[in-house]
Amino acid sequence: MRPNGDPDDSAKTTAHVTTQMKIESVALFYVIAYICLLIIHLYVRRINDTRLEDQQRRYDEMSRKAQTSSLPKSKDNLLDDTTGFQEETPNAFFRRSNIGGQVIKYSLEYSISYAALFHLEGTICGTPGVTKNVLVTYTMALMYFLFETTGTACGWQVPLLNVQALQSMITLFTGLVGILLGFYISTVVSRWWSLRNDTLGHLWGAVNDICLFNGAHFNDKSWRPLRTLVLRYCMSSYELTFMQAQGVDSELWRLVGRGLLTQSEADMLAKLPSRSQVLWTWIAWIFRNLYDKGHIDSMILQLYYQKCAQARGAIGGIFAYLDTQLPISYVQLLAGMVHLLSFVVALEVGIANSRYFMIQHGKLDSSEALEYRPLVKLIQLTLVPLFYNGCLEIGRTLSNPLCDDFQDFPRHAFHSFMLNEAQGFHSTFEVPSEAAQAIIGALPSKK
């Protein structure tokens, strides 16, 4: 029997305490990381919910403005502000709309800096769906970690899975998912740009061109009510396009409240389908009657008809994109592989951390310790599901940019820009410039 205070016993006790401290340190780190991620998820979800509530409140307030007459509000027969848009005080990252809260423009320099890593709002890290999926991945890893370590401590016969096989599976899935995600993101971004440039952009261009023609052909101040009527129908069509994309185009009272429609016009539209496109028939009818009354000739009428058809076609193109989604089998396969990859990563990280604990307990060969580095594995557990789920979220957001998400098209900002441009086009030469009058006045008339 060894005497009390034997150095060998003391060394064993110290080693045991050191081992326990290592185990407790790694376990504590794991739990702290999990709690931090949970707090971030709850914080992000709260920010998102608050933004949506504030956005809906402002939109409702704007839509419920009382009408004092049967006609939309106007000043000097020009449309008043029909959107209530104002740009919020910009931060270092982006400028955004006060209504809807969408980004108008962001700072490219800031977005690629290290500081952007700590900015949650408007980023993938600030998306509740992504943080929830990362949290689920953490939960799966923690569950297997507890299962294997607890089972080993209790003397159960826990089957030890092959970590190398799981790592090979992760490598295979990463390559396959990377290829599929590359095609997916490329296709979605291409469709997103087509929606902005080839459809919404053509609608915007048609509105501006019609107002340009009106400003040149009907420039006298007496024509201002007609020009404003046409513009009002144009802006109503623009708003109804967004409303139809969100499935709320039946809420015509909002446009009445904003001065874009009269109640009788809203009642007429309520009975019709494709309301955003129907309004271009109304606009074309106005120009046909101007032709019948001799105010425009057949060539000018043809130009107006072309622009009306361009605008209606642009709106039809928008819904061709929105109503023709990517094949469900492709998207479901891609999402399934991303979730399966996240599951395998969670399993591999849970196993690696439990093996590290076993090594510290002397249950496994300590020469394998370098293969099971808890900190590196936890970083992998965070970044892999964050990246791949983030790519899926980007695809979801860009698939319908006419909604109210943070990164969707800034509907109310575009409305304000379009309205101001159009009123400038159709009113700028009510009183032509002196230089233009002098030069044109000096030319002989051929009539």
Side-chain angles (χ1 to χ4, degrees):
M1 181 180 295
R2 293 181 184 274
N4 291 336
D6 190 309
D8 290 341
D9 289 339
S10 177
K12 289 181 179 179
T13 302
T14 302
H16 178 72
V17 171
T18 302
T19 300
Q20 289 299 115
M21 290 177 63
K22 288 181 179 180
I23 294 174
E24 291 171 1
S25 297
V26 176
L28 180 62
F29 179 79
Y30 206 112
V31 171
I32 289 175
Y34 183 84
I35 292 174
C36 288
L37 185 60
L38 178 60
I39 291 173
I40 290 174
H41 171 68
L42 295 175
Y43 174 71
V44 164
R45 190 172 67 177
R46 179 56 186 163
I47 287 179
N48 191 65
D49 291 344
T50 301
R51 185 187 70 82
L52 292 175
E53 291 170 2
D54 183 61
Q55 164 189 317
Q56 189 62 41
R57 178 184 58 79
R58 292 185 183 187
Y59 186 41
D60 289 343
E61 287 177 356
M62 174 189 66
S63 301
R64 290 194 175 100
K65 290 179 180 177
Q67 292 296 310
T68 57
S69 67
S70 59
L71 292 175
K73 292 181 179 180
S74 63
K75 182 179 180 180
D76 296 330
N77 286 318
L78 292 172
L79 278 182
D80 275 355
D81 179 17
T82 54
T83 182
F85 163 75
Q86 290 181 349
E87 186 179 311
E88 289 187 352
T89 303
N91 56 35
F93 199 174
F94 48 72
R95 296 154 42 206
R96 61 190 292 183
S97 170
N98 65 319
I99 299 177
Q102 287 84 25
V103 174
I104 301 172
K105 196 170 185 179
Y106 65 88
S107 168
L108 183 59
E109 292 78 9
Y110 185 89
S111 66
I112 62 176
S113 68
Y114 280 106
L117 294 175
F118 304 97
H119 197 113
L120 290 180
E121 187 177 16
T123 65
I124 289 300
C125 295
T127 305
V130 174
T131 56
K132 181 184 70 174
N133 287 339
V134 175
L135 191 61
V136 169
T137 307
Y138 259 74
T139 302
M140 290 188 293
L142 182 59
M143 288 176 64
Y144 192 84
F145 164 77
L146 293 174
F147 166 73
E148 192 167 272
T149 52
T150 303
T152 302
C154 295
W156 302 341
Q157 293 298 320
V158 179
L160 298 180
L161 300 180
N162 190 317
V163 176
Q164 285 72 28
L166 288 174
Q167 290 173 343
S168 299
M169 189 181 298
I170 290 173
T171 302
L172 174 63
F173 277 141
T174 300
L176 293 175
V177 172
I179 294 172
L180 287 174
L181 268 179
F183 284 119
Y184 177 64
I185 295 298
S186 176
T187 302
V188 169
V189 170
S190 176
R191 286 165 61 95
W192 175 86
W193 178 243
S194 294
L195 278 167
R196 173 62 186 88
N197 187 61
D198 300 335
T199 54
L200 187 62
H202 283 188
L203 172 61
W204 193 329
V207 172
N208 281 350
D209 288 346
I210 286 175
C211 290
L212 183 151
F213 295 157
N214 285 344
H217 204 80
F218 303 107
N219 66 302
D220 190 80
K221 193 172 183 178
S222 61
W223 287 104
R224 185 182 287 181
L226 173 71
R227 298 196 305 262
T228 299
L229 174 65
V230 172
L231 177 57
R232 184 163 62 80
Y233 287 165
C234 290
M235 300 312 300
S236 296
S237 174
Y238 167 84
E239 283 295 320
L240 281 168
T241 300
F242 277 81
M243 293 171 69
Q244 183 177 341
Q246 299 172 24
V248 295
D249 57 321
S250 60
E251 298 178 359
L252 296 172
W253 60 270
R254 295 185 182 277
L255 300 186
V256 175
R258 293 169 57 183
L260 289 170
L261 292 175
T262 64
Q263 187 58 56
S264 61
E265 290 167 345
D267 293 340
M268 291 175 62
L269 283 175
K271 306 171 185 177
L272 301 172
S274 302
R275 300 177 182 92
S276 56
Q277 298 180 59
V278 165
L279 279 164
W280 289 97
T281 304
W282 296 11
I283 296 170
W285 179 87
I286 292 173
F287 295 121
R288 172 56 194 263
N289 277 267
L290 288 173
Y291 168 77
D292 289 343
K293 292 180 180 294
H295 294 292
I296 56 175
D297 58 29
S298 59
M299 183 176 295
I300 300 298
L301 177 63
Q302 184 178 3
L303 286 175
Y304 278 120
Y305 274 5
Q306 286 176 353
K307 291 302 173 182
C308 290
Q310 175 186 324
R312 191 224 56 79
I315 297 172
I318 288 174
F319 292 106
Y321 277 110
L322 297 185
D323 296 338
T324 308
Q325 298 172 293
L326 294 177
I328 187 173
S329 56
Y330 177 77
V331 177
Q332 191 271 339
L333 173 64
L334 177 59
M337 292 191 67
V338 167
H339 296 319
L340 184 58
L341 173 61
S342 298
F343 171 76
V344 175
V345 169
L347 191 61
E348 193 264 340
V349 171
I351 292 172
N353 281 323
S354 68
R355 300 293 163 80
Y356 181 82
F357 276 30
M358 292 181 196
I359 290 172
Q360 301 304 319
H361 276 294
K363 302 292 186 181
L364 291 177
D365 186 357
S366 60
S367 63
E368 301 178 10
L370 289 178
E371 298 181 16
Y372 309 120
R373 291 161 289 188
L375 180 58
V376 175
K377 293 300 180 181
L378 288 175
I379 293 175
Q380 179 188 12
L381 183 63
T382 303
L383 295 184
V384 171
L386 178 65
F387 173 76
Y388 288 107
N389 283 282
C391 289
L392 290 180
E393 178 64 20
I394 289 172
R396 184 201 66 80
T397 302
L398 298 186
S399 294
N400 185 0
L402 275 71
C403 289
D404 287 328
D405 286 338
F406 184 84
Q407 299 181 66
D408 286 336
F409 295 150
R411 163 186 171 184
H412 301 285
F414 285 176
H415 180 117
S416 179
F417 300 157
M418 190 189 306
L419 178 63
N420 291 336
E421 285 178 3
Q423 295 206 127
F425 290 144
H426 79 192
S427 301
T428 182
F429 253 39
E430 285 184 347
V431 180
S433 68
E434 292 181 1
Q437 292 187 69
I439 293 174
I440 298 300
L443 297 174
S445 176
K446 292 193 174 183
K447 287 188 178 180

